[in-house]
Amino acid sequence: MSRKTLETKAESAEESASRPTLRTVAAEAGVAVTTVSRALADDPRIAESTRKRISEIADRLGYVPNRAAQRLRTGRTKVISLMINPRHEFLSFTSEFLGGMYEGLSGTGYAINITADSLGEDRLDAIRNIRRHSLADAIVFTRTECFDDRARYLLEHDFPFVTHGRTDFMTPHPFVDFDNEAFVRLAVERLVEKGRQHVCIVMPNEKYTFGQHLRFGARQAAMTHGVRLTVPGAVDLDSEPDEIAAMLRGLHGGPDAPDSYICVGEVSALITLACLNDMGLTQGQEVDVLAKRASPISNHFRPRIETIDEDLRATGRAMAKVLLGRMSGEPVEDLQILLKPEGPFSVSS
């Protein structure tokens, strides 16, 4: 075991010695080390032609920044912590959202560290840990609440962050959000056009801001068009699939079953379609299902359904842009983005 440990250390030392450094790049480029450092950080004080030449040399030599050294020198981690709730439409939401963030941060030198976001009573534990121990330069989190303790804490400590979703705080902060109120109004209007009179929606928990927006938009649209709206109280978007399916079966066992469903996410759409199929109900005949489309997974729904698009890859790119702007000191008023539902209705195909 000792021999193996010594050999491993020797190999690490040899690897470190052969790894290109800022000095290596500087010697090849014929400039000072500080010039290389600034050029690779895209410092506008360095001529664009010089930045480009140094970048090409660094790529050719295989230079990779030493994060530990950078942190000691600058006090920055070059890490962004993304707080994700594993139950939040994980298959569709996270893959597209994260892919967009990676695209938006490409070339900046920032890495993304994913941290599980508990839905327990104290959602601040992980946030406090990141700030107190300087584990990241900024934080991104989702499932924003109307008066979110995480946003309050980070505002009080002037720690860079951006939320996916808005809050009701008077103090402005960076956010990127989807107009869920507009989404649900469009969805109700479309189902009314198809002759439906009783719409059912399994909503997010009402403590989340987007849950409030969905409820308000759905109630307004239902009143405007004179249709009935059912929002089951026994389950929400985070309930177990079997619980949601049991609720749907219960609704259709009564005398006044819904004739249409709006699904806030693709996972809930899969549950709804499966349950309706098991009960012998045919999409487009006895019932209609309309869902939010967040990823290509809805292309494989069977039977096919109409969808309204939320481009989560574009959301991820916008989150990266807003976060970089916050860290560079841009005005908060320029760092608030509300994305609209995209395009006309489409049939998943």
Side-chain angles (χ1 to χ4, degrees):
M1 185 177 295
S2 297
R3 182 186 303 170
K4 183 175 181 180
T5 302
L6 289 172
E7 287 174 353
T8 302
K9 287 182 177 178
E11 288 168 2
S12 297
E14 184 179 346
E15 182 182 341
S16 297
S18 62
R19 183 183 300 147
T21 65
L22 286 174
R23 288 187 184 280
T24 312
V25 178
E28 181 77 10
V31 297
V33 171
T34 53
T35 301
V36 172
S37 179
R38 288 175 178 172
L40 294 179
D42 210 23
D43 189 330
R45 291 175 293 179
I46 305 298
E48 184 178 354
S49 59
T50 302
R51 280 182 276 159
K52 182 178 179 182
R53 183 169 66 87
I54 289 174
S55 178
E56 290 172 350
I57 292 171
D59 288 342
R60 175 165 53 80
L61 294 177
Y63 168 73
V64 177
N66 185 318
R67 291 190 181 277
Q70 282 185 331
R71 181 170 182 175
L72 287 172
R73 185 173 65 253
T74 66
R76 306 189 74 175
T77 65
K78 296 296 285 185
V79 170
I80 290 170
S81 187
L82 171 61
M83 312 286 295
I84 285 287
N85 165 30
R87 299 185 64 86
H88 184 74
E89 295 286 328
F90 196 80
L91 289 174
S92 56
F93 179 91
T94 304
S95 61
E96 293 297 303
F97 184 85
L98 187 57
M101 280 200 67
Y102 274 122
E103 291 173 8
L105 294 172
S106 177
T108 66
Y110 276 97
I112 299 175
N113 178 43
I114 298 178
T115 304
D117 176 25
S118 168
L119 296 184
E121 291 184 4
D122 189 355
R123 303 177 76 192
L124 268 177
D125 280 347
I127 297 285
R128 290 193 194 99
N129 189 54
I130 291 168
R131 189 195 72 83
R132 288 174 178 171
H133 298 286
S134 300
L135 300 180
D137 294 333
I139 297 175
V140 174
F141 60 86
T142 64
R143 285 299 181 98
T144 309
E145 300 178 18
C146 298
F147 295 98
D148 201 296
D149 286 339
R150 300 168 298 174
R152 189 197 311 273
Y153 176 85
L154 294 170
L155 283 169
E156 288 174 351
H157 290 87
D158 194 27
F159 192 93
F161 73 99
V162 58
T163 61
H164 181 233
R166 287 161 282 176
T167 67
D168 289 338
F169 289 128
M170 294 298 292
T171 304
H173 64 79
F175 69 77
V176 178
D177 200 5
F178 177 70
D179 194 339
N180 280 288
E181 191 177 320
F183 155 75
V184 77
R185 282 202 302 263
L186 284 172
V188 170
E189 289 170 6
R190 176 56 179 158
L191 291 172
V192 170
E193 287 176 4
K194 300 182 78 168
R196 300 306 181 181
Q197 292 295 311
H198 185 178
V199 181
C200 178
I201 312 174
V202 176
M203 290 283 191
N205 190 297
E206 60 185 350
K207 71 179 179 180
Y208 302 122
T209 313
F210 83 118
Q212 295 283 351
H213 295 160
L214 284 164
R215 281 172 171 78
F216 179 78
R219 287 167 183 156
Q220 289 293 105
M223 286 190 293
T224 298
H225 295 285
V227 297
R228 183 174 174 184
L229 173 67
T230 291
V231 177
V235 296
D236 61 35
L237 202 61
D238 292 322
S239 297
E240 294 296 332
D242 288 347
E243 294 176 357
I244 296 175
M247 178 277 302
L248 294 177
R249 287 192 296 271
L251 285 177
H252 281 275
D256 188 21
D259 58 15
S260 53
Y261 292 87
I262 295 172
C263 297
V264 177
E266 291 167 323
V267 172
S268 60
L270 286 169
I271 297 169
T272 302
L273 287 170
C275 186
L276 296 175
N277 181 69
D278 289 345
M279 290 187 291
L281 300 170
T282 303
Q283 156 66 19
Q285 295 183 20
E286 298 94 344
V287 293
D288 269 302
V289 177
L290 191 154
K292 183 188 291 185
R293 182 185 187 277
S295 77
I297 194 172
S298 64
N299 294 341
H300 304 285
F301 287 170
R302 296 297 182 272
R304 294 181 172 90
I305 61 172
E306 288 189 340
T307 58
I308 299 174
D309 289 355
E310 176 182 5
D311 190 339
L312 284 174
R313 192 163 287 267
T315 300
R317 289 194 295 267
M319 295 289 280
K321 178 182 178 181
V322 168
L323 197 59
L324 292 170
R326 166 63 180 86
M327 289 189 289
S328 65
E330 293 181 21
V332 174
E333 293 73 18
D334 297 336
L335 303 175
Q336 298 177 327
I337 298 176
L338 182 62
L339 301 171
K340 299 293 183 180
E342 287 199 354
F345 298 93
S346 59
V347 178
S348 58
S349 58

